[in-house]
Amino acid sequence: MYAVIRVRGRTGIKKNIADTLDMLNLTRISHAVVIPETPSYKGMLQKGKDYITWGEVSEDTFKLLVAERGRLPGNKRVTDEYVKENTDYESVEELAVAIFNQETTLKESGLKPIFRLNPPRKGYEGTKQAYTKGGSLGYRSENINELLEKMI
């Protein structure tokens, strides 16, 4: 699974790129989504590469993300009681593992598909350069976990 984070804002963006980011549910800076690794999503990531960063999320980071930043409709936190009553799982951690292994989805379990994060502690490296050149944009493989932990 890929974790995708929006790094840059909406000003001066071309319409087709804005539409792609809207389809990914990335409407604001520091919003994150988790998507499967499919060819159509990879094409969307390439189209928005100048405004987002992404990489393969680890299971531990994903569990932390769902527990800390997962939200229900009405901006309510995800609790073990909610998970036990409304899903087939016993705890938030079990639900996160099931979502990570693609046994269920965020939408099927009643969670919002977006994670609203804080800006990273110590800031972004640079919002106009690629990650390979010392910036924050584009593909960053396993290093997305470090950025997510700074933002949770």
Side-chain angles (χ1 to χ4, degrees):
M1 294 183 88
Y2 286 132
V4 185
I5 302 169
R6 181 145 181 185
V7 177
R8 295 181 68 191
R10 317 179 239 217
T11 309
I13 187 171
K14 291 182 181 176
K15 183 167 176 22
N16 60 348
I17 297 173
D19 291 343
T20 302
L21 295 176
D22 286 342
M23 285 185 248
L24 286 170
N25 290 327
L26 294 171
T27 55
R28 295 173 179 231
I29 297 174
S30 298
H31 278 191
V33 294
V34 179
I35 57 173
E37 296 180 36
T38 61
S40 60
Y41 275 124
K42 286 182 182 180
M44 292 170 85
L45 294 174
Q46 282 303 313
K47 194 167 204 175
K49 70 181 175 2
D50 295 331
Y51 295 88
I52 58 176
T53 185
W54 73 93
E56 292 88 7
V57 66
S58 70
E59 188 173 339
D60 294 334
T61 306
F62 185 68
K63 282 193 251 182
L64 183 64
L65 186 66
V66 171
E68 295 290 322
R69 290 293 177 165
R71 293 290 186 262
L72 301 168
N75 199 28
K76 296 183 179 105
R77 288 180 161 264
V78 180
T79 61
D80 288 337
E81 293 79 35
Y82 173 84
V83 171
K84 199 177 284 188
E85 290 173 15
N86 298 307
T87 65
D88 299 335
Y89 305 99
E90 296 295 316
S91 68
V92 175
E93 189 171 315
E94 282 184 34
L95 177 64
V97 170
I99 294 169
F100 184 79
N101 295 327
Q102 297 182 357
E103 297 166 14
T104 186
T105 63
L106 288 166
K107 194 172 188 178
E108 288 173 2
S109 55
L111 277 71
K112 288 186 175 182
I114 192 166
F115 299 98
R116 296 179 307 181
L117 304 173
N118 294 319
R121 282 187 298 268
K122 307 277 185 178
Y124 290 109
E125 290 88 17
T127 59
K128 293 185 178 181
Q129 291 206 331
Y131 182 72
T132 56
K133 295 181 180 173
S136 292
L137 300 172
Y139 178 68
R140 55 170 69 210
S141 69
E142 298 292 324
N143 298 331
I144 194 76
N145 296 309
E146 296 168 14
L147 180 63
L148 281 170
E149 287 172 11
K150 284 183 182 180
M151 295 177 83
I152 293 178

